[in-house]
């Protein structure tokens, strides 16, 4: 899956990792060395995050059930607790600077799309899977 800004089609992340089980949500990005450029972690369900046991800064998008951005947090440093958004259903953790580089703002929406396969790049229509 990849993460795309709904309004302009801009690809925010080519690789979306999913944390949708208790243990995957619990671990999140803890104890990882980095979050590579072009990657993100989608945590569902989630209203807030922390950066304990992390060694790098991240950007965070807080989403409602329709993937509208209801909160953003740029440059959350290691060892900190993020904001709490009671209406948030899920959170996307991104590499530091992603929010600014892509002009992401509250009120915009994102969508999840399947990655385009090599055969799709040559004229075949890509299947749209629901996320």
């Amino acid at each position: 899956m990849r993460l795309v800004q709904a309004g302009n089609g801009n690809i925010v992340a080519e690789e979306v990792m999913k944390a949708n089980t208790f243990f995957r949500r619990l671990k999140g990005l803890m104890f990882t060395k980095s979050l590579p450029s072009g990657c993100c972690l989608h945590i569902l369900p989630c209203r807030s995050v922390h950066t304990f046991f992390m060694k790098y800064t991240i950007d965070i998008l807080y989403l409602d059930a329709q993937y509208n951005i209801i909160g953003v947090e740029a440059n959350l440093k290691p060892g900190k607790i993020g904001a709490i958004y009671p209406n948030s259903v899920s959170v996307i953790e991104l590499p530091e600077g992603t929010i600014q580089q892509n002009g992401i703002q509250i009120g915009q929406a994102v969508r999840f799309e399947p990655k385009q396969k090599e055969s799709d790049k040559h004229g075949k229509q890509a299947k749209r899977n629901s996320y």
Side-chain angles (χ1 to χ4, degrees), residues 49-101:
V49 298
H50 66 80
T51 55
F52 300 140
F53 307 106
M54 292 177 60
K55 296 181 180 184
Y56 54 94
T57 301
I58 58 173
D59 286 356
I60 304 162
L61 305 180
Y62 298 87
L63 307 178
D64 68 11
Q66 290 76 41
Y67 302 132
N68 295 308
I69 300 169
I70 61 171
V72 297
E73 199 161 1
N75 305 316
L76 186 63
K77 305 275 186 231
K80 303 292 181 187
I81 297 174
I84 297 173
Y85 288 86
N87 296 327
S88 177
V89 173
S90 66
V91 169
I92 298 174
E93 296 181 341
L94 297 154
E96 177 183 14
T98 303
I99 289 173
Q100 182 179 2
Q101 289 168 1

Side-chain angles (χ1 to χ4, degrees), residues 7 26 106 120:
L26 178 67
I106 293 172
D120 295 334

